[in-house]
Amino acid sequence: MKQFWSPSSVNKNKAMVENLQNHGIVTSDEVAKAMEAVDRGVFVPDRSSAYVDSPLSIGYNVTISAPHMHAMCLQLLENHLKPGMRVLDVGSGTGYLTACFAVMVGSEGRAIGVEHVPELVASSVKNIEASGASSLLKEGSLAVHVGDGRQGWAEFAPYDAIHVGAAAPEIPEALIDQLKPGGRLVIPVGNIFQDLQVVDKNSDGSVSIKSETSVRYVPLTSREAQLRGD
């Protein structure tokens, strides 16, 4: 049987999750289990830095967020990531958080990643294949697509949960449209100063928005602007 990770790296990943629990960032067993099942070390270019609580460059003027930010987003979306639910990850990058989402919604659910840099999509699929979410990718409940995430991914809408991994100047209308009533969108909003906003869609289609915390993300933009570093 092929081993995709060494026991030592799994222990480091588990220690990272325990650290997040000790700091009160991870508070649910489901989030802890998902983060333990998906070894962050598989998803970063330099494995020696994988478990440090800081963002890392993954090329193409893109970063993978720090573990505490991923944990915070998983916690904010936890009640919308129950088995059988649908989740969209915009700006899926390395595929790490998409894989965590997929583990939480399980084989009866659906986790879709959208990323506009084709090379990142290709590498993210390889990352996921080497992770604890590989079986979900193989059976099709987890998929990553090349596309402009600002337009969402209409094919599997509406979604119970939508996560955006880059900062938008304003919340894209398409993402609100693709959110299920009762669903939740977590998105960084702003240019120089950014807030992580939590958008809840009410049963009548209206939305309630609250700011969770100040953040610093790369901009949600076109592929051309992304590659230029605008």
Side-chain angles (χ1 to χ4, degrees), residues 110-185:
R110 193 172 287 277
I112 301 294
V114 179
E115 168 58 57
H116 59 194
V117 179
E119 294 86 350
L120 283 176
V121 172
S123 62
S124 71
V125 168
K126 287 179 182 166
N127 295 342
I128 293 166
E129 285 172 345
S131 81
S134 58
S135 63
L136 299 167
L137 183 73
K138 194 172 182 180
E139 66 192 32
S141 59
L142 164 56
V144 186
H145 300 282
V146 178
D148 184 341
R150 294 172 297 182
Q151 304 303 317
W153 195 261
E155 183 183 357
F156 297 111
Y159 298 96
D160 298 279
I162 300 177
H163 167 266
V164 182
E170 55 194 31
I171 301 168
E173 202 61 45
L175 299 184
I176 293 175
D177 290 345
Q178 291 176 28
L179 193 62
K180 187 182 285 187
R184 173 171 280 190
L185 160 65

Side-chain angles (χ1 to χ4, degrees), residues 80-99:
H80 307 271
L81 296 169
K82 301 297 185 190
M85 290 186 171
R86 293 183 178 192
V87 53
L88 174 66
D89 188 20
V90 172
S92 49
T94 64
Y96 170 75
L97 203 55
T98 324

